[in-house]
Amino acid sequence: MYPFKPGSFAPRNGWYVAAFREEIGEKLLSRWILNQPVVLYRKADGTAVAVEGRCPHRHFPLGESKRVGDAIQCGYHGITFGADGKCTFIPSQKVVPGVYSIRAYPLVERGLWAWIWPGDPDKADESLLPTEEEIGFSRSADFHAKPFYYHHVNGRYQLLNDNLLDLTHLGYLHGGSIGTADDAATPEERDQNARRLSSRRIMKNTPPPPVTRERFGIDCPVDRISGMDFFYPGFHAGIGDSRVSEGYPQAGRQLTSSRVWHAVTPATKTTTNYFFAMGSPDKEGVEFMVEYLKPVLAEDIFATEQIEKIITTVDDVPPELMLRSDTTAVLGRRMLQAMMDAEAAKPGELT
Amino acid sequence: MYPFKPGSFAPRNGWYVAAFREEIGEKLLSRWILNQPVVLYRKADGTAVAVEGRCPHRHFPLGESKRVGDAIQCGYHGITFGADGKCTFIPSQKVVPGVYSIRAYPLVERGLWAWIWPGDPDKADESLLPTEEEIGFSRSADFHAKPFYYHHVNGRYQLLNDNLLDLTHLGYLHGGSIGTADDAATPEERDQNARRLSSRRIMKNTPPPPVTRERFGIDCPVDRISGMDFFYPGFHAGIGDSRVSEGYPQAGRQLTSSRVWHAVTPATKTTTNYFFAMGSPDKEGVEFMVEYLKPVLAEDIFATEQIEKIITTVDDVPPELMLRSDTTAVLGRRMLQAMMDAEAAKPGELT
Amino acid sequence: MYPFKPGSFAPRNGWYVAAFREEIGEKLLSRWILNQPVVLYRKADGTAVAVEGRCPHRHFPLGESKRVGDAIQCGYHGITFGADGKCTFIPSQKVVPGVYSIRAYPLVERGLWAWIWPGDPDKADESLLPTEEEIGFSRSADFHAKPFYYHHVNGRYQLLNDNLLDLTHLGYLHGGSIGTADDAATPEERDQNARRLSSRRIMKNTPPPPVTRERFGIDCPVDRISGMDFFYPGFHAGIGDSRVSEGYPQAGRQLTSSRVWHAVTPATKTTTNYFFAMGSPDKEGVEFMVEYLKPVLAEDIFATEQIEKIITTVDDVPPELMLRSDTTAVLGRRMLQAMMDAEAAKPGELT
C-alpha cells in the first residue's frame, strides 16, 4: 500500500517500540501493533512481556481481560494464558490441547523503551537494536531523559517516517518554533549503513530558531547542528545542538544540546503509534520542552492526518514529485521495502 | 461472511423478532432488519403490520414519513402505500402502475414479541414459531413477564448467537453478577431437533452466583439449573432455577425461577437488533432484575463490539480454536448455514 | 456510480459553482471539488483564483498553508506556487524543475458566484456559463440578491439534482412551508436545449402555500408560477411567482416574485457542496426568507443524507420505479451521463 508496493504494509522482522517502559506495569496495556492487538504487562518479577491480544477461542481482546498472577484470563470464557503464551487453563475442560496458545513476542527493555519483535521470533536478534550509545541515551546523572508523549495518529506510519527523514520541514511546518529557513537551505550530509540512515546539517552563522531566541533571550547568529539517525524499521534519534557564533557576545556558549527520540510503530494499516521522548544534560531545558513541544508535535500529527485523508480520498493519488531533499526519505522507503520483499520471498528466491 | 461461508449473511426464511409488541403503536417505527429498512406500526383496528421501509420511487425512508390513516405517505414526494404494501396514491398522476408496491411482511404477535418473516412470504408458516409454552411464557396472573431492553449492537448478529450458545462465559464475562466458575466446569446436556437446539447444566451443591447471594442474603450452596433453548434462526429462551441445597437451613427453598428471552435479529451486515426480556412467577424479582441486568447486558454488548472490531481489522482472521464447550455454538452455526444453503440452492440442486 | 453507469462520477468539462464570490478573500479557502482539494483566494489586485489544493511534493493540503503575496507557500516544506500554479520557490534547492506545478483552474465571477471549470482548461468556454439574464439575476438597484447558505451535504450530488428536478416534492417534503399538493398535481411544461432543461408549473386558483398565507395574511386562492431551469452540470435557477386570483379582494396583487438559485457541486464521491441564494425586488421578503428557509433546506439535506445511507447499506439497491413526474430528472441524468460519456471517449470513438 502507498507509498509501498501493493500488498506491502510493514516489515515484521525488526525491533519496534511497543511502549515506553514506564507505561508497562501490573495493569494490562492494550496496543495495536502491525495490525494485531497486543497486550503488554510486567510480571511479578518485574519482567516486561508482550503477548498476542486476541484470544484464539473467540477473538476477545485479551487486553480487556483479567490478570491472574502472571497469566491473563480471557474476560469472555476464562481461558488462561501464561506470559509465555501457553494456555494453562480452560474452565470448561480438563485437557488443554497442545495447539492452544497465543503468540509471545520477544520484548527487550532498553533506554526509555520496550522494544517488540513482531516477526519470526527465531530471527529476533538483540544486536540489531540501536545501542544506548548510538542514540545518545546516557544513564549518567548529568543526563536527563524523559518520555514526553504517546500519540495514536490517524495516518499510516510511513507518513511519519517521511516527515522525520526530511527535516527541511522544520522551517515551514514548525517555522514559528523550532526551525528556520536554513534547515531547508543547508545541504545535507548523509550516511547509510546496514543499521541506520543518518542525516546531518551543519549551519554556521545562522539565525536562531524562535525557541532558542525565546528561551535564551538572544538575538545573534548561532552555529547549529541538526541531524537524525533512522534505525530501521521505526526509530529516529535526533540531534539538536546550538551555540553562539564567533564574533558575538558569549561566543561559543552552548545553548541547546538535546537528543530527541521519535519511535514510529504501525498500529493498524492506517493508524500509527507515535512515541516522542527527549534527553539532554540540560534538565531545565527538558522540562521546558515538555510543554513547549506539544503544539509542535501537533503540527506533525496534523500534517500526517491531513495527508492520510487526501491520499485515501482522491482517486489514483499521483506519485510525489521528488526533490533532492527527498533523497533520505527515498532511501528509507527503499530499505523498508527491501525488508518487506525479503520477508515475502520464498527460500531460495531472489528479491 | 464470517463466521459463515463467504456470501452467506443470514437465513431469510425464518421468524425473527422485529420488535417488542409494546413498541409498536400509532407512530411509525423504523428498524433495519436483514439489511433492509422496515417500518412497523399498528393499524386503526389494532393489527400490527410491517412493510418495507424504502420508497421504491427514490429510496426515501418510509419510517421517516407520515402516516395517513392506515397508509404511509412517503415524506418526500407523497407516494402513498397501504398496509398491504400496495400503492394507493401518487400525487403527480392519476394512474397508479400495478408494479407500484412495497413489500408487506408476514408479522405475527406472540408472547411479548412481534415476529417478522423476511423471506418468501409463501413459506411463512406460523407453526414454525416457538410456542409460548415452549419458551416458558405464560399468560397466567401468577406469572410476570416484561420486555427489558432493546439495543442496537455494533457487531454482527452471530457473535450474539455464539454468546448465548456457550454459557461457559457466565462465570467470566459475568463473574461478578450472574455466573460462577461452575457454569463452565459443569458438563452440558444437549438436545437438538428441527425446531430448536437445547442445552442444560444441572449444578448440585454449587456456590450461588453473586446476584443470588446478594438478593437472598444467603451464603450456602445451591442447586441450580441453567439452560438455553435456541429456536432457529434467532430466539433464545433461557432458564435459571436455583434452590437451597440439601443439608442447609431452608433446604429446598426456591430462590430464583426465571425465564430469560434473548431475541437476536440482524440489522445490517455488521449490526444487530438485540431484544432482552424476562419472566418469572416472582414479580419482585423481575422488577429487581430490570436495573440489575443493565450492566450485565452491557458486558455482552462490549464483548460483541470488541470482537467485531478485531475481526474487521486484522487481516485474514484465523479460524477459532474450538473447545468441547463450543459444540452447541457449532451446531447452531451449522443449522443457520444449512438454512442459508437451502435458500441459495436452485430447485433440484442438492445442498 | 449510482445513479450513473459504474465508473461515472461527474462531468468535468463544465462550469460549477466553487464558492459564493463573497466567500473568496485574502484568506485561503479550502474546498473539495469533484474529489480534488481546491484552494480559492483573491489576489492583491482583487482577481479570484482557484488552484489545486494538494502539494505535488507530499500531498499536504495547500488550503491549510500560508499565503505569501499572491503565491501559496506549502505549510509542510515551504514549496511555493504562484496563482498560475507554477512553482516559484523550493527552499531546499536553487533549481525549480519545469515539471513542478499545480493545476490552476479557470475561474469566472458572475452573479453571486465564482464558477470553476474542473476539466480540460482548453475547453473552458465562458459562453457556456448561464448569463445573469438567463437566471434572473439583476444588478438593478430595485433587485435584491443575497447568498443564503453554504452546506456540505453527506450525500452524492445527483440526489440533490434529482431533488431540484422534481418539484412534486414541494407539497410533501416541504408541505408545511413552501409547497402544496398542487405542486405535484399540476402538469409540468418542459423545455430543453443544449444549455438548460426547464420546467414550469402554472397554477391558477390554487391554495397559497403556508409561507404565503403567513407572510401576507391572506387566505384566498392565488395564481402561481413555479419553475426551475437546470443549467448543466450543476446550477438550478428557480422561479416563484404568486398573485391574488381573480374574484378576490386585491385581485391581481403581486405577492411573491422571487428567484432562487441552487448550485450543486460534487465535493467527494459521496458528499456535496450545496449553495443556496435568493433574489427578488422585494428586499424585505429576501430578508424574511433567510431565516424562514433554514428548516426547509434542512429537509432537503435530511432527505439526501437518508437516501445516501439507504443506497450505500442495502445490497444491490434496485432501480427506482419511475413516474411521469420523473421525466425531467431522467432527462437531467441523461444529459450528465452523455457529458461523462463524451469525456471518457477516445478521439474518434462514438459515444
Side-chain angles (χ1 to χ4, degrees):
Chain A
M1 58 187 297
Y2 173 88
F4 298 109
K5 288 184 196 167
S8 290
F9 163 44
R12 304 193 65 78
N13 289 326
W15 293 104
Y16 288 94
V17 168
F20 287 121
R21 294 174 65 176
E22 65 174 24
E23 288 184 282
I24 305 177
E26 204 185 329
K27 207 165 160 284
L28 301 178
L29 173 66
S30 279
R31 191 149 281 165
W32 283 81
I33 294 178
L34 274 77
N35 222 36
Q36 292 289 340
V38 169
V39 189
L40 299 145
Y41 61 105
R42 208 168 277 287
K43 293 197 292 182
D45 69 5
T47 320
V49 293
V51 297
E52 207 170 349
R54 179 183 57 78
C55 181
H57 175 234
R58 288 288 177 196
H59 313 311
F60 188 85
L62 293 173
E64 305 295 330
S65 294
K66 191 176 162 187
R67 183 167 169 175
V68 176
D70 280 351
I72 301 179
Q73 182 189 77
C74 177
Y76 201 173
H77 300 92
I79 299 166
T80 306
F81 300 90
D84 60 357
K86 289 201 181 110
C87 180
T88 57
F89 176 61
I90 297 177
S92 59
Q93 64 187 57
K94 295 236 162 60
V95 179
V96 172
V99 71
Y100 243 82
S101 64
I102 54 176
R103 292 195 59 180
Y105 295 96
L107 192 79
V108 175
E109 295 188 84
R110 183 171 290 182
L112 302 169
W113 307 271
W115 306 73
I116 195 170
W117 181 275
D120 180 353
D122 290 343
K123 295 188 172 146
D125 177 356
E126 290 193 29
S127 77
L128 296 173
L129 273 170
T131 65
E132 294 182 350
E133 200 182 356
E134 280 175 317
I135 64 169
F137 176 87
S138 161
R139 300 180 172 280
S140 141
D142 299 337
F143 189 82
H144 308 279
K146 185 169 176 159
F148 272 27
Y149 334 108
Y150 164 74
H151 289 293
H152 190 262
V153 180
N154 289 313
R156 62 197 67 190
Y157 75 94
Q158 188 56 25
L159 300 179
L160 277 167
N161 283 335
D162 286 348
N163 170 293
L164 294 160
L165 291 167
D166 176 5
L167 299 185
T168 69
H169 79 271
L170 294 187
Y172 296 91
L173 188 60
H174 312 308
S177 54
I178 60 168
T180 74
D182 275 357
D183 284 292
T186 306
E188 182 183 26
E189 292 165 31
R190 200 176 297 111
D191 181 61
Q192 183 171 19
N193 65 31
R195 300 172 65 71
R196 55 116 191 92
L197 172 60
S198 293
S199 140
R200 292 289 179 281
R201 279 189 177 85
I202 317 272
M203 293 163 264
K204 299 264 184 196
N205 263 294
T206 187
V211 62
T212 310
R213 207 181 286 266
E214 250 178 69
R215 200 175 152 233
F216 297 98
I218 59 150
D219 197 25
C220 66
V222 297
D223 295 348
R224 290 170 60 205
I225 301 173
S226 166
M228 194 70 84
D229 295 344
F230 175 40
F231 292 87
Y232 326 122
F235 193 84
H236 303 258
I239 287 179
D241 246 81
S242 63
R243 57 188 70 218
V244 175
S245 298
E246 288 303 311
Y248 295 89
Q250 305 192 56
R253 174 190 166 197
Q254 178 95 32
L255 300 165
T256 55
S257 166
S258 58
R259 309 293 309 218
V260 293
W261 301 292
H262 307 259
V264 173
T265 304
T268 64
K269 293 290 177 72
T270 54
T271 66
T272 303
N273 300 296
Y274 184 19
F275 306 88
F276 180 83
M278 192 170 165
S280 172
D282 172 9
K283 186 170 182 181
E284 201 186 292
V286 170
E287 294 307 327
F288 173 82
M289 294 302 271
V290 174
E291 283 309 310
Y292 187 88
L293 287 179
K294 274 183 188 166
V296 179
L297 268 280
E299 289 164 343
D300 294 303
I301 293 170
F302 175 78
T304 302
E305 298 188 343
Q306 288 282 314
I307 292 170
E308 180 68 35
K309 195 191 155 187
I310 285 184
I311 63 181
T312 52
T313 305
V314 303
D315 301 304
D316 310 322
V317 56
E320 300 98 335
L321 292 186
M322 293 293 183
L323 299 170
R324 229 166 291 151
S325 57
D326 292 307
T327 310
T328 313
V330 169
L331 290 172
R333 288 182 182 184
R334 275 192 201 148
M335 177 55 72
L336 298 195
Q337 183 66 61
M339 292 172 75
M340 291 186 263
D341 289 347
E343 291 173 16
K346 300 209 175 47
E349 191 180 357
L350 291 179
T351 63
Chain B
M1 58 186 297
Y2 173 87
F4 297 108
K5 289 184 196 167
S8 291
F9 163 44
R12 302 193 67 78
N13 289 327
W15 293 104
Y16 289 95
V17 168
F20 287 121
R21 294 174 65 175
E22 65 174 26
E23 287 184 283
I24 305 177
E26 203 185 329
K27 209 166 160 285
L28 301 178
L29 173 67
S30 278
R31 191 149 282 165
W32 283 81
I33 294 178
L34 275 77
N35 222 37
Q36 292 290 340
V38 170
V39 188
L40 298 145
Y41 62 104
R42 206 169 280 286
K43 293 197 292 182
D45 69 5
T47 321
V49 293
V51 296
E52 207 170 351
R54 178 182 57 75
C55 180
H57 175 233
R58 289 286 178 195
H59 313 312
F60 188 85
L62 293 174
E64 304 295 329
S65 295
K66 192 177 161 186
R67 181 166 171 178
V68 176
D70 280 351
I72 301 177
Q73 182 190 76
C74 177
Y76 201 172
H77 301 92
I79 299 167
T80 305
F81 300 91
D84 60 357
K86 288 202 183 111
C87 180
T88 55
F89 176 61
I90 297 178
S92 58
Q93 64 187 55
K94 295 236 163 61
V95 179
V96 173
V99 71
Y100 244 83
S101 63
I102 54 176
R103 291 195 59 180
Y105 295 96
L107 191 79
V108 175
E109 295 189 82
R110 182 171 291 183
L112 301 169
W113 308 271
W115 307 73
I116 194 170
W117 180 276
D120 180 353
D122 290 342
K123 295 187 172 147
D125 176 357
E126 291 193 29
S127 76
L128 296 173
L129 273 171
T131 65
E132 294 182 350
E133 199 182 358
E134 280 175 317
I135 65 170
F137 176 87
S138 161
R139 300 179 172 279
S140 138
D142 299 338
F143 188 82
H144 308 278
K146 186 170 176 156
F148 273 27
Y149 334 109
Y150 164 74
H151 288 294
H152 190 261
V153 180
N154 289 312
R156 60 197 67 190
Y157 75 95
Q158 188 56 26
L159 299 179
L160 277 168
N161 284 335
D162 287 348
N163 170 293
L164 294 160
L165 292 167
D166 177 4
L167 298 186
T168 70
H169 80 272
L170 294 187
Y172 296 91
L173 187 61
H174 312 307
S177 54
I178 60 168
T180 74
D182 276 357
D183 283 291
T186 307
E188 181 182 27
E189 292 164 31
R190 198 175 299 111
D191 180 61
Q192 184 170 19
N193 64 30
R195 300 172 64 71
R196 57 116 190 91
L197 172 60
S198 293
S199 141
R200 293 286 180 282
R201 281 188 177 84
I202 317 271
M203 295 163 263
K204 300 262 185 198
N205 263 295
T206 186
V211 62
T212 310
R213 206 182 286 267
E214 251 177 69
R215 205 181 145 226
F216 297 98
I218 59 149
D219 198 24
C220 67
V222 296
D223 295 349
R224 288 172 62 207
I225 300 174
S226 166
M228 194 68 84
D229 295 344
F230 175 41
F231 291 87
Y232 327 122
F235 193 83
H236 303 258
I239 287 180
D241 245 80
S242 63
R243 54 188 72 216
V244 175
S245 299
E246 289 303 312
Y248 295 89
Q250 304 191 55
R253 174 190 166 198
Q254 178 96 29
L255 299 166
T256 55
S257 167
S258 58
R259 309 293 309 219
V260 292
W261 301 293
H262 306 259
V264 173
T265 304
T268 65
K269 294 289 176 73
T270 54
T271 66
T272 303
N273 300 296
Y274 184 18
F275 305 87
F276 180 83
M278 193 170 165
S280 171
D282 172 9
K283 186 171 183 182
E284 200 187 293
V286 170
E287 295 306 327
F288 173 82
M289 294 301 271
V290 174
E291 283 308 311
Y292 188 87
L293 287 179
K294 274 183 187 167
V296 179
L297 266 282
E299 289 164 344
D300 293 304
I301 293 170
F302 176 79
T304 301
E305 298 188 341
Q306 288 282 314
I307 292 170
E308 180 68 34
K309 196 192 154 186
I310 285 183
I311 63 182
T312 51
T313 306
V314 303
D315 301 304
D316 309 319
V317 56
E320 300 99 336
L321 292 185
M322 293 292 183
L323 299 170
R324 228 165 294 153
S325 57
D326 291 308
T327 309
T328 313
V330 168
L331 291 172
R333 286 182 184 184
R334 273 189 204 151
M335 176 55 72
L336 298 195
Q337 184 67 59
M339 292 172 76
M340 290 186 264
D341 290 347
E343 291 173 15
K346 300 210 173 44
E349 191 180 358
L350 291 179
T351 62
Chain C
M1 58 186 299
Y2 174 89
F4 297 109
K5 288 185 195 166
S8 291
F9 163 44
R12 302 194 67 76
N13 288 326
W15 293 104
Y16 288 96
V17 168
F20 287 120
R21 293 173 66 176
E22 66 174 25
E23 288 184 283
I24 305 177
E26 203 185 331
K27 207 165 162 283
L28 300 178
L29 172 67
S30 279
R31 190 150 281 165
W32 283 80
I33 294 178
L34 274 76
N35 222 36
Q36 293 289 340
V38 169
V39 188
L40 299 145
Y41 61 104
R42 208 169 278 285
K43 291 197 293 181
D45 69 5
T47 322
V49 294
V51 296
E52 205 171 351
R54 177 183 58 77
C55 181
H57 175 235
R58 288 288 178 194
H59 313 311
F60 187 86
L62 292 174
E64 305 294 330
S65 294
K66 191 177 161 184
R67 183 166 170 177
V68 176
D70 280 351
I72 300 178
Q73 183 189 77
C74 177
Y76 201 172
H77 300 91
I79 299 166
T80 306
F81 300 91
D84 60 357
K86 289 202 182 109
C87 179
T88 56
F89 176 61
I90 297 177
S92 58
Q93 64 187 56
K94 294 235 163 61
V95 179
V96 173
V99 73
Y100 244 83
S101 64
I102 54 176
R103 292 195 60 181
Y105 295 96
L107 192 79
V108 175
E109 296 188 82
R110 182 172 290 182
L112 302 169
W113 307 271
W115 307 72
I116 194 170
W117 180 277
D120 180 353
D122 289 343
K123 295 186 174 149
D125 176 355
E126 290 193 29
S127 76
L128 296 173
L129 274 170
T131 65
E132 294 182 350
E133 200 182 355
E134 281 176 317
I135 64 170
F137 177 87
S138 159
R139 299 179 173 280
S140 138
D142 299 337
F143 189 81
H144 308 279
K146 185 170 176 160
F148 272 27
Y149 335 109
Y150 164 74
H151 288 294
H152 191 261
V153 180
N154 289 313
R156 62 197 66 189
Y157 75 94
Q158 188 56 25
L159 300 179
L160 277 167
N161 283 335
D162 287 347
N163 170 293
L164 294 160
L165 290 168
D166 176 4
L167 297 185
T168 70
H169 78 273
L170 294 186
Y172 296 91
L173 188 60
H174 311 308
S177 54
I178 60 167
T180 74
D182 274 357
D183 284 292
T186 306
E188 181 182 28
E189 291 164 31
R190 199 175 297 112
D191 180 61
Q192 184 170 20
N193 64 30
R195 301 171 64 71
R196 55 115 190 93
L197 173 59
S198 293
S199 141
R200 291 287 180 282
R201 280 187 177 85
I202 317 270
M203 294 163 262
K204 299 262 183 198
N205 263 294
T206 186
V211 63
T212 309
R213 206 180 287 266
E214 249 177 70
R215 206 181 145 227
F216 297 98
I218 58 150
D219 198 24
C220 66
V222 296
D223 295 350
R224 289 169 62 205
I225 301 173
S226 166
M228 193 70 82
D229 294 344
F230 175 40
F231 292 86
Y232 326 122
F235 192 83
H236 304 257
I239 287 179
D241 245 80
S242 62
R243 56 188 71 215
V244 176
S245 299
E246 289 303 311
Y248 296 90
Q250 304 190 55
R253 174 190 166 198
Q254 177 96 31
L255 300 165
T256 55
S257 166
S258 58
R259 307 295 309 219
V260 292
W261 302 292
H262 306 259
V264 173
T265 304
T268 66
K269 295 291 178 71
T270 54
T271 65
T272 303
N273 301 296
Y274 184 19
F275 305 87
F276 180 83
M278 192 169 167
S280 172
D282 172 10
K283 187 170 181 181
E284 201 187 292
V286 170
E287 294 307 325
F288 173 81
M289 294 303 271
V290 174
E291 283 310 308
Y292 187 87
L293 287 179
K294 274 183 187 165
V296 179
L297 267 280
E299 289 164 345
D300 293 303
I301 293 170
F302 176 79
T304 302
E305 298 188 342
Q306 289 282 313
I307 292 170
E308 180 68 35
K309 196 191 155 188
I310 284 184
I311 63 181
T312 53
T313 306
V314 304
D315 301 305
D316 310 319
V317 54
E320 301 98 335
L321 292 187
M322 293 295 183
L323 299 171
R324 228 166 295 152
S325 57
D326 291 308
T327 310
T328 313
V330 168
L331 291 173
R333 288 182 182 183
R334 274 190 203 149
M335 177 55 72
L336 298 195
Q337 183 68 58
M339 291 172 76
M340 291 186 263
D341 289 347
E343 292 173 14
K346 300 210 177 44
E349 191 180 356
L350 291 178
T351 60

